[in-house]
Amino acid sequence: MTRAVMDPTIAPPFPVAALTVLRDTQLRKNVAHATDVIQAKRALLVAEKKDWQQLRTAAAAIRAHALANLGSYLEEFEKRCTEAGGVVHWAADAAEARAIILKLLREENATEVIKIKTMTSAEIQLNPALEAAGISVFETDLAELILQLGGDEPSHIVAPALHVNRGQVREIFARRMGLQNLSDDPQVLTAAARTYLRQKFLSVPTAISGANFLVAETGSVAVVESEGNGRMCLTLPRTMITLAGIEKVLPKFKDLEILLQVLARSATGERMNPYTSLWTGVTPGDGPQRFHVVLLDNGRSQILARPKERQTLQCIRCAACLNTCPVYRQTGGHAYGSVYGGPIGAILTPQLMQMEHAQTLPFASSLCGACYAVCPVKINIPEVLIALRAQVVDQERGQPARWFDPMFLGMKAANVIFASARQFRAAQWASRVGLSLFTGKDGWIHRLPGLGARWTVTRDLRGIPEQSFRQWWAARDKEQM
Amino acid sequence: MTTSSSSRRTILDRIGAATALPAAKNSYDELPRDYAKFGELDSDACIHLMTERLREYGADVAQSTPELLATVIAEQVQQSGRQRFVVPPEIPAEWMPAGFEWKVDHELRATDIEKCDGVITGAFAGIADSGTIVLHHSNTEGRRIITLLPDWHLCILNASQLVETLPEYFQRCTQPPLLATYISGPSATADIEMTRIQGVHGPRFLSLILVRDDR
């Protein structure tokens, strides 16, 4: 398996990357199975929740409110967190966030660091930077461990290794942990991970986490997880560094009563995930005695400035939109060339790239709206996709390269043809004559040359009838007279 | 904060410019909150629900009267086959039956806690709807580490501490907690083919004793 490129600045365009994964039948089977399972569990739990729509409305409103007042809530968070003994850092972009974290680790003389799964750290490509600086990184989430040991990349926001099956996990663990007689029973594989990481938890003094929520009112940070690896990292080390996007803030502690109800149900199809941790700065005698929060902008404030696109930042990273998306379910996450795949990735990634990269992603959708229907914070993803498509088209306007784009030329030609009835009739005649060469005896076109093959490679096309509607209508009038 | 203080200004300025439109502002108090705030179940049904949920997660649930609690704890400790236990500094002495090794957590080191086979604590609240045990890490609930390293967590919850829904728990928090852990079943993962596996890094075994102080 070749390693997927997850850096949007160098990743191939979506249609190209998708072709590769579409040929990987094992991967498609794994993705389909995993997303089917989560969707079925989610559907049951949503159905039993009588106030689900009210919760969605409240969740969307609180997130939108937090974003509309983001500056003051971030300052409040900073104030409270600092009062509680935390240190707040601000990073304008990925490079600055990496530099801050590296500096903090150097101050700790850290040679090793344990990590809780954080997609934000993958966004800023933190691990390669730390490894390059001589710091060994240990991912502690089971899925992240599978990927790290297997030299693979995340393909899903919540279950990053969902494209890997038990046999593949067995092979990776056997090879990297030196366990030749490992079986492929998930219970056994999980136990192997427990043993492998236990000593790391007890000995590595520095940890890095993401954040699910920041609470402005109290300066608290919340992390939602299942395995207890998060609790280990939040409790045992001497120093804790939390990397959080600036959009993660909530006004008050009480707002968690909404978001915790929708998050686990949407993400893993559970009423509540096994462990949720909330902490505030430093607690004497309990947990890390040095605590840093790095608040990351990295393009987010620009998303905030655009009225339609702003809702992208409401996202709480549940991945329900990935699981339901007919495109993601076929391609998996690697085709998106970004740690954020699926519908939310299709809108988030190009915007984080300030529309300079990943411009094919807004087109990686049929606009069916399934993502919007399941989103617990009601992000109208199709609306944002269309807005971003408009931005991409605007970028292309006036570029000379367009005159070599068959789609553009075709549209130009159509513009002329549709302008007069005479030209339209002439074009109809020409296409009837032209296509008759390719029309089979059954009246269908099975194969076209050149660009037309893009259509006929997967579908047949009905041949053009002998008579157009207008001709038939005119003939009918004559008969009646 | 020397390096990032200029970035602080930059980011806050960008945010300020991006959110300058007054149309986008709305008052926190006017936000819609029309979801269910209260449960509908009586005390018995609530306890039944909590029990059912936790058993679904693979946890063990027992009931006791306040009078019999010490006996029930002793039975469970005996049956667990474990010997060495850690406890928070302020749990009642009768929760620690004789014949076992009891380590009271006065800043015990991680390596000592790691050697314990189990932990017994109280709780701040329970939430029946999601089968959740809430710890605020007071002196009866203990530091976070003691409910993390031992392989078995025995938690004692009074029926009067049990609520049906998550919002009801938040109503009971007169002050937001500075530390909190919400535990819904033993440590688990579904990262391999979405198969739920119990017991990854946290305690692999979770038991709850519900004390019927409501009758």
Side-chain angles (χ1 to χ4, degrees), chain A residues 388-422:
Chain A
L388 296 181
R389 287 180 184 188
Q391 283 194 47
V392 174
V393 173
D394 282 342
Q395 283 181 348
E396 288 168 354
R397 224 177 281 283
Q399 285 181 5
R402 294 189 100 189
W403 294 98
F404 298 95
D405 176 7
M407 170 93 136
F408 176 71
L409 294 175
M411 285 297 175
K412 278 279 173 211
N415 194 348
V416 174
I417 291 164
F418 281 88
S420 90
R422 196 171 55 83

Side-chain angles (χ1 to χ4, degrees), chain A residues 135-200:
Chain A
I135 296 167
S136 306
V137 179
F138 298 93
E139 292 289 353
T140 64
D141 171 73
L142 179 57
E144 290 281 6
L145 179 69
I146 293 167
L147 298 179
Q148 190 181 34
L149 293 181
D152 201 351
E153 296 286 351
S155 74
H156 188 271
I157 309 174
V158 168
L162 109 178
H163 60 287
V164 183
N165 69 13
R166 63 180 75 190
Q168 293 163 319
V169 176
R170 193 211 79 84
E171 187 276 319
I172 293 165
F173 279 12
R175 182 160 48 84
R176 295 298 308 274
M177 295 178 184
L179 303 168
Q180 300 312 321
N181 301 320
L182 204 59
S183 88
D184 68 355
D185 179 357
Q187 186 86 50
V188 173
L189 295 168
T190 304
R194 177 182 168 103
T195 312
Y196 178 78
L197 286 170
R198 192 75 178 184
Q199 205 46 45
K200 288 293 161 203

